Amino acid sequence: MMELIISARSRRQENTEYRTLDKHMLRADIDVVSGKGTAHDPWQAHILISNEGSKAWSGVIHVELPFEKHQPRFFLPAFMYGRNRGEAPQNVPNEFPRLREGNPSRPSSSWWMVRSDRLSHPAALVYDEGQIFGLSASPYWIKNPSSGQRQQWYPGQEGMFVQYGGFSCSIDKGRIGYTLGYENAPLHFIKSRLVHERAPLEENCFELLAGESVECVLELYHYEASSELGINVAMESIYNRYHEAPREGSDMQTTVSDLSHAIYEYAYLPEDRQYSTFVYEDAETGGYRYNKIISISWTNGMTIATPMLLAALRQDDELMRQQALSCITNIMDNAMNPESGFPYDAYQDGVWSIKGWWFDGMRTPGHSSYLVAQAMFYILKCYDYEKRLRNHRHEDWLVYVKQVLDRLERTKNTDGEYPTILSERTGAGLEYDAFSGAWCLAAMAYYSWITEDVSYLEELKRSEAHYYDTYVKHMECYGAPLDADKSVDSEGILAYIKAVRYLHALTGDPQFLDHMRDAISYEFSFKFSYNSPVQIPPLSTLGWSSSGGSVTSVANPHIHPMSSNLVDELLYYVQQREDGYVHQRMMDTVGWGCQTYNRHDGEYGYGKKGWMSERFCHSQGLVTEKYADGSPASTWFCLMPWASGSVIEGLVGDYWDYAMQIKK
């Protein structure tokens, strides 16, 4: 069993140094009671911390697991992946925690400490030259009413919330750690453009009275793995230990009805033939305000029109269907840039262009392959379901999509990677090194499956192998959302999973299922396994659940609903291979979506029935919104149709038929 190093920082200290326990009159007794260190049978290290002084002690206690480092890649789920691209240039507008050796400048550091609820799973893991090292422990502490004692939280226990813990990593020292009490240090990232310096030790302290002792249990891991993917074996074990289901929400049909009718009634802009990206209540007029920032996909356009069309088909609502079709045909009829052969990404005041709300944060101007290819994928999905459920064949849609996809295929580099930015003038690839091109792969794979045209199949296989070997295999996918400066994110993997689903459906090759499982595990690393005890309203007052919701990226670390659109792919996988773990996490995803919107007017402190925003602050360290009286709020107060559209999409595809069959 590996040794543990335990140190502490007192609230009374003038400096920030962590010193040995004897300097604080503290003592630690460690007892390893079971385990082998494997992913399924970790060592159980019971640690008893005692205050041997004559006065109460307050501060942070740091338990660290050292390892023999070579080329370590750290994984603190939803917070740190590898080194969070610490190797890449960091002089960009959006900051996120990067790991670099030595004494680098902001926002990089050789070490990080973070409160436990920033992590989707309570664990810190390392992959280093064929070895996995790791530790896992309770994310927070409770006081059990029956015993009156403060204790670690275990699944299924009830008690009063007392204190968060924390996790840490250090590349210089070669350590990962767990803290009683916590720090967000050396910086506290609230979002990509709001970063605070290290705070003094105050409410984040752990307290021990004179003569008091407290016990914590750490699960410790050390096993062999062939790549970074090996961490997922431990992650699955940690999920099974700490899993909590989301609170009970509406049933599937009610959720689809509530969300789709809210978009239909409040968000459509008939003069623009588009859906508003934000809808706010206007207290002065009693009406509504709209923030349009219209695009062809990604937060607008097809990512709203597609779930709305499918919801209309499932509910036999012709008016809703015609509204969605108007948005779709408007994009196809008017957005095309004839010079590049790609549709323009954005629309404002009657003009289509590449200058969307994200434009000034880009390194290179041009069409975004993320938006272009995602729009093509969703046009195909509309074609697919119009044909399936109405026997209505939009053959002109296939022609439109095919010409765009053919153009995209010609932009790949010699690695088989699609560009992230394409020239507005010629359509040539201008910028690569990003996962956003996986949407091109997904769209062409879907087209090939729909049409049974396999002429591009060998090229698709080559591209898939590149994305897998370069990004997925290393658990480090970056460069999908345009507003995150190529930080590690959970968005791009959704496209890759959709791509390998259709490549498997086309070929039957089991390797695509293997790759699909690895990519699903990557997405699950961003998906909360337990219900974080939110302390800020409205989420705190609702019993809202974080379990089943996914963190968007290491730069914008709130929970948002985009991964809810993955339900059909998870269902496809478990129908091909029996996998209870994937099935349970699929049901977490469904359950999360059915409880995370206004089920009646004003449930979340704003809005109408069916309204839902994109930002859910599972950690109070992410809060930026305020109520009218200036007090903090843990969600945004607006309807964001792409967000609720993601939940709708996950419920109205193949999963709808599956759930209805079970219901019978």
Side-chain angles (χ1 to χ4, degrees):
M1 213 285 288
M2 298 168 286
E3 67 168 326
L4 294 173
I5 298 172
I6 306 180
S7 58
R9 177 190 170 195
S10 169
R11 182 175 182 174
R12 295 193 181 104
Q13 283 180 220
E14 293 184 0
N15 59 38
T16 60
E17 179 186 0
Y18 277 78
R19 302 183 296 176
T20 57
L21 293 188
D22 61 299
K23 303 292 186 183
H24 302 272
M25 300 298 289
L26 301 177
R27 189 186 81 239
D29 296 296
I30 303 173
D31 183 22
V32 180
V33 297
S34 64
K36 299 177 181 177
T38 65
H40 297 295
D41 188 19
W43 290 299
Q44 302 286 318
H46 288 238
I47 304 171
L48 184 71
I49 307 289
S50 302
N51 180 4
E52 297 185 316
S54 59
K55 296 180 180 179
W57 185 88
S58 178
V60 177
I61 300 168
H62 195 188
V63 183
E64 293 181 282
L65 175 67
F67 59 90
E68 184 179 347
K69 71 164 187 166
H70 301 281
Q71 293 293 325
R73 288 176 53 77
F74 295 83
F75 295 92
L76 282 64
F79 178 79
M80 178 64 61
Y81 289 80
R83 301 183 186 184
N84 271 6
R85 308 203 67 232
E87 308 92 334
Q90 66 176 22
N91 295 324
V92 293
N94 296 296
E95 295 183 306
F96 50 90
R98 298 175 186 249
L99 200 57
R100 285 186 181 182
E101 294 182 279
N103 296 293
S105 61
R106 171 176 169 169
S108 291
S109 172
S110 64
W111 60 276
W112 292 100
M113 301 177 76
V114 64
R115 197 169 87 172
S116 59
D117 61 347
R118 290 294 288 268
L119 276 58
S120 61
H121 299 65
L125 301 155
V126 178
Y127 172 79
D128 195 350
E129 293 191 351
Q131 304 289 312
I132 300 289
F133 305 91
L135 60 83
S136 177
S138 166
Y140 58 88
W141 297 71
I142 64 171
K143 182 176 288 184
N144 192 307
S146 62
S147 66
Q149 299 298 312
R150 179 170 57 189
Q151 57 191 32
Q152 274 194 298
W153 170 79
Y154 293 96
Q157 283 192 335
E158 293 184 0
M160 181 180 69
F161 172 80
V162 174
Q163 175 71 57
Y164 284 104
F167 290 88
S168 70
C169 61
S170 170
I171 191 170
D172 280 355
K173 294 181 178 179
R175 298 179 187 176
I176 48 178
Y178 175 73
T179 61
L180 286 71
Y182 68 89
E183 287 202 73
N184 292 302
L187 297 169
H188 177 195
F189 293 82
I190 297 173
K191 57 182 182 179
S192 60
R193 299 198 183 194
L194 182 58
V195 184
H196 288 171
E197 296 293 333
R198 186 180 193 174
L201 294 188
E202 292 177 352
E203 74 279 356
N204 49 338
C205 289
F206 195 89
E207 297 184 356
L208 284 171
L209 299 176
E212 185 181 16
S213 298
V214 66
E215 184 182 53
C216 65
V217 179
L218 268 64
E219 295 183 323
L220 305 178
Y221 301 87
H222 181 202
Y223 58 92
E224 294 182 352
S226 59
S227 76
E228 292 91 328
L229 292 167
I231 70 163
N232 292 314
V233 188
M235 291 275 288
E236 184 173 340
S237 176
I238 293 163
Y239 169 86
N240 289 331
R241 177 169 176 75
Y242 287 99
H243 175 244
E244 294 178 305
R247 67 171 176 156
E248 186 174 352
S250 302
D251 61 53
M252 175 189 71
Q253 290 167 287
T254 301
T255 298
V256 170
S257 176
D258 289 348
L259 295 175
S260 62
H261 282 92
I263 297 172
Y264 173 81
E265 183 174 353
Y266 298 106
Y268 191 66
L269 305 168
E271 67 278 11
D272 294 305
R273 296 173 65 189
Q274 277 277 8
Y275 297 92
S276 180
T277 308
F278 296 81
V279 183
Y280 300 93
E281 293 174 301
D282 192 320
E284 293 183 4
T285 66
Y288 305 98
R289 293 184 292 108
Y290 305 96
N291 188 344
K292 297 181 180 181
I293 56 175
I294 292 170
S295 57
I296 59 173
S297 64
W298 188 55
T299 76
N300 203 274
M302 292 304 305
T303 55
I304 305 171
T306 302
M308 287 297 288
L309 177 63
L310 270 62
L313 294 172
R314 292 299 192 185
Q315 297 172 110
D316 197 25
D317 188 326
E318 186 59 23
L319 291 177
M320 185 182 292
R321 175 175 174 266
Q322 289 301 324
Q323 184 188 82
L325 288 172
S326 179
C327 177
I328 296 164
T329 55
N330 178 51
I331 290 171
M332 288 195 288
D333 289 347
N334 299 303
M336 183 60 72
N337 172 8
E339 290 191 53
S340 66
F342 299 123
Y344 281 116
D345 310 42
Y347 173 85
Q348 185 175 9
D349 299 327
V351 178
W352 291 95
S353 74
I354 59 167
K355 295 183 178 180
W357 59 267
W358 56 86
F359 179 78
D360 285 324
M362 298 170 66
R363 296 177 177 85
T364 307
H367 293 283
S368 160
S369 66
Y370 186 141
L371 275 75
V372 169
Q374 187 183 69
M376 297 306 104
F377 181 91
Y378 281 118
I379 291 170
L380 289 170
K381 190 162 189 175
C382 291
Y383 171 90
D384 186 6
Y385 277 86
E386 279 273 284
K387 180 181 174 183
R388 287 197 214 184
L389 302 181
R390 280 291 184 95
N391 198 28
H392 195 121
R393 298 171 182 266
H394 298 272
E395 299 301 331
D396 55 322
W397 293 5
L398 289 182
V399 173
Y400 179 94
V401 170
K402 180 63 159 56
Q403 67 181 8
V404 174
L405 295 184
D406 283 346
R407 184 74 187 86
L408 284 169
E409 283 296 316
R410 297 196 296 272
T411 65
K412 287 191 291 191
N413 64 16
T414 54
D415 290 333
E417 181 170 310
Y418 298 91
T420 183
I421 301 298
L422 304 141
S423 169
E424 178 186 15
R425 185 174 61 85
T426 67
L430 298 179
E431 183 180 337
Y432 294 80
D433 186 35
F435 206 63
S436 57
W439 274 110
C440 305
L441 181 66
M444 183 54 88
Y446 197 8
Y447 177 87
S448 300
W449 179 79
I450 286 174
T451 63
E452 299 181 346
D453 178 355
V454 295
S455 56
Y456 282 114
L457 183 56
E458 292 307 310
E459 272 298 302
L460 293 176
K461 289 179 179 179
R462 186 170 75 92
S463 294
E464 185 279 331
H466 167 76
Y467 284 107
Y468 179 81
D469 291 339
T470 305
Y471 300 94
V472 179
K473 187 176 179 180
H474 300 292
M475 294 287 290
E476 189 184 38
C477 301
Y478 56 85
L482 296 168
D483 60 347
D485 278 315
K486 295 187 179 181
S487 69
V488 179
D489 66 74
S490 65
E491 292 185 20
I493 203 66
L494 308 181
Y496 177 84
I497 293 170
K498 293 175 190 295
V500 289
R501 169 198 176 170
Y502 287 110
L503 288 174
H504 177 263
L506 275 167
T507 66
D509 186 341
Q511 178 176 266
F512 290 124
L513 286 182
D514 295 340
H515 289 186
M516 189 176 186
R517 182 57 155 81
D518 292 338
I520 287 170
S521 294
Y522 174 82
E523 201 289 313
F524 287 168
S525 74
F526 287 89
K527 190 179 293 295
F528 257 73
S529 58
Y530 69 96
N531 293 319
S532 177
V534 182
Q535 304 296 298
I536 302 292
L539 303 185
S540 63
T541 62
L542 296 174
W544 175 87
S545 294
S546 54
S547 177
S550 294
V551 175
T552 172
S553 72
V554 300
N556 290 314
H558 58 280
I559 287 179
H560 81 345
M562 191 175 290
S563 70
S564 290
N565 74 33
L566 203 62
V567 173
D568 274 3
E569 283 66 39
L570 301 179
L571 177 63
Y572 178 87
Y573 182 83
V574 298
Q575 288 176 332
Q576 305 302 313
R577 289 180 175 173
E578 186 175 343
D579 192 319
Y581 172 66
V582 174
H583 183 270
Q584 181 59 59
R585 302 212 76 162
M586 176 183 77
M587 298 313 299
D588 288 349
T589 307
V590 171
W592 183 85
C594 290
Q595 60 90 50
T596 200
Y597 71 94
N598 270 347
R599 294 173 295 173
H600 54 77
D601 289 358
E603 182 181 7
Y604 279 70
Y606 75 98
K608 301 298 183 182
K609 180 179 179 181
W611 281 35
M612 174 182 173
S613 81
E614 72 166 45
R615 184 174 170 88
F616 297 92
C617 297
H618 56 281
S619 170
Q620 67 195 59
L622 303 172
V623 170
T624 58
E625 186 70 80
K626 296 183 184 298
Y627 287 99
D629 64 1
S631 60
S634 50
T635 189
W636 280 349
F637 299 132
C638 58
L639 166 61
M640 300 184 69
W642 83 259
S644 40
S646 296
V647 175
I648 295 169
E649 184 186 348
L651 300 177
V652 294
D654 296 337
Y655 182 80
W656 181 282
D657 299 320
Y658 168 79
M660 295 300 286
Q661 186 63 37
I662 291 176
K663 189 175 180 179
K664 290 179 180 178

